[in-house]
Amino acid sequence: ITLNLNGYTLTGKITLTNGQNTNAFTLTDKKADNYKAGSAGGVLTGPANGIEMNNGTKSAHNKLILTGKTLTLRNLSRAVNGQDFIDITAKDVTFTGNTDSGIRLNGSYHNIVAEGAVFTKNTGYSILTNGNYSTVALKDVEIYDNSGRVYVNSNSTVTVDGGEFHDNITTSQSGGVIASVGWTNTITINGGEFYNNKAVNGGVVYLVYTGNVTINDGKFYNNTATSNGGALAAGNRAVI
C-alpha cells in the first residue's frame, strides 16, 4: 500500500496493523520518478503521534517505508511509534519539530535504516529503540539542532556511514549524538562529520556498560561534555 501526500498536509494519525502481512506500507510525496516533474511536498503533522505501528511477529515484521525529498513529518509527539518486530526505512525524509521522538520503538527486534534523512529541531529523541536486539543504520543522514539523539538499549548495533551531526545539545542527558545505555551494544562509525555537540557525558557517543565502539573514519571537533568525554565517554568494561 502506498499513500502519496504530494501537495497535501495530513493532520492526524495513521495506524498500521500487521495481520501476518509481509508487505510494507509506503508514505511518499513523489510526483514522478526521481522528481523529474517536481514535487509540491507532503506533510504529516500533529500534535498527536503520526504513525502508530502495531506489533509484527518474528516471521512477519510490520514494515514501514518513508521516502521523499520533500516529505516532512513535523510538529508531532512521536512521528513514528511502535513496539515489537518492526522494520522502518526512512529515505530522504525530514523529521522536524517533534516533541517526543522522530522514531520511537519501545519493544524489541527492530531494524531501522535512515538514508539521506534529516532530523532537526526535535526536542525529543531523533531515534529511540528502548528494548533489545535492534539495528540502526545511518547512511548520509543529517542530525542537527536537536536536544534529542539516537538511543539504543541492549544487544543492539548502531552503524554510521557518513553524514553530518552538529549542534545537538542536551543539558541533562549523556550522548549528544548516540547514547548506548544497555548491555552488549556495538557502535561503528565509518565516516561522518561531528561538531558542536554537547552533553553531560560524551558530546558525541556515550556507552554506559559493556559493548564496543569502533571508529574507522570521521571528523570530530568542538564537541564538549560538562562531565566526562568531549567526544566519547564509555564505561570501564567497554572496548574502544
Side-chain angles (χ1 to χ4, degrees), residues 3-69:
L3 175 61
N4 192 331
L5 285 182
N6 182 59
Y8 294 92
T9 294
L10 175 62
T11 302
K13 181 171 67 176
I14 300 170
T15 300
L16 305 183
T17 59
N18 180 267
Q20 302 295 313
N21 183 9
T22 59
N23 295 321
F25 174 85
T26 299
L27 183 67
T28 186
D29 68 337
K30 284 189 175 182
K31 185 175 182 181
D33 289 344
N34 298 320
Y35 296 84
K36 291 178 181 178
S39 175
V43 175
L44 177 62
T45 190
N49 292 343
I51 299 175
E52 291 277 2
M53 300 186 69
N54 289 355
N55 289 347
T57 65
K58 186 175 182 179
S59 60
H61 283 206
N62 201 354
K63 298 178 182 179
L64 170 66
I65 297 173
L66 303 169
T67 179
K69 295 177 182 177

Side-chain angles (χ1 to χ4, degrees), residues 8 11-12 15 39 41 49 51 58 93 106 112 121 124 126 132 144 172 175 183 212 216 220 224:
Y8 294 92
T11 302
T15 300
S39 175
N49 292 343
I51 299 175
K58 186 175 182 179
V93 64
N106 283 320
I112 299 172
K121 302 188 185 304
S126 295
N132 297 288
Y144 65 94
S172 61
W183 300 89
N212 297 273
N216 295 314
F220 298 78
T224 59

Side-chain angles (χ1 to χ4, degrees), residues 1-197:
I1 299 173
T2 297
L3 175 61
N4 192 331
L5 285 182
N6 182 59
Y8 294 92
T9 294
L10 175 62
T11 302
K13 181 171 67 176
I14 300 170
T15 300
L16 305 183
T17 59
N18 180 267
Q20 302 295 313
N21 183 9
T22 59
N23 295 321
F25 174 85
T26 299
L27 183 67
T28 186
D29 68 337
K30 284 189 175 182
K31 185 175 182 181
D33 289 344
N34 298 320
Y35 296 84
K36 291 178 181 178
S39 175
V43 175
L44 177 62
T45 190
N49 292 343
I51 299 175
E52 291 277 2
M53 300 186 69
N54 289 355
N55 289 347
T57 65
K58 186 175 182 179
S59 60
H61 283 206
N62 201 354
K63 298 178 182 179
L64 170 66
I65 297 173
L66 303 169
T67 179
K69 295 177 182 177
T70 54
L71 177 63
T72 303
L73 284 73
R74 72 184 187 202
N75 301 336
L76 296 148
S77 176
R78 301 172 182 177
V80 180
N81 184 56
Q83 292 201 27
D84 297 301
F85 300 107
I86 287 174
D87 294 346
I88 297 172
T89 298
K91 186 174 182 180
D92 299 326
V93 64
T94 296
F95 298 81
T96 185
N98 300 297
T99 56
D100 183 288
S101 306
I103 298 173
R104 183 178 184 122
L105 303 178
N106 283 320
S108 299
Y109 299 99
H110 317 121
N111 298 293
I112 299 172
V113 176
E115 181 176 355
V118 176
F119 298 82
T120 184
K121 302 188 185 304
N122 300 291
T123 55
Y125 299 96
S126 295
I127 298 172
L128 178 144
T129 63
N130 196 21
N132 297 288
Y133 307 107
S134 299
T135 65
V136 179
L138 307 175
K139 301 178 181 180
D140 298 318
V141 303
E142 295 181 58
I143 298 180
Y144 65 94
D145 288 340
N146 301 284
S147 59
R149 62 261 199 251
V150 177
Y151 176 109
V152 293
N153 202 319
S154 294
N155 302 296
S156 298
T157 65
V158 179
T159 305
V160 179
D161 290 291
E164 289 193 25
F165 308 82
H166 62 89
D167 298 288
N168 300 291
I169 299 173
T170 172
T171 59
S172 61
Q173 303 294 325
S174 295
V177 177
I178 300 171
S180 165
V181 301
W183 300 89
T184 323
N185 292 320
T186 299
I187 299 170
T188 304
I189 298 176
N190 296 317
E193 195 167 2
F194 303 81
Y195 58 94
N196 296 345
N197 301 291

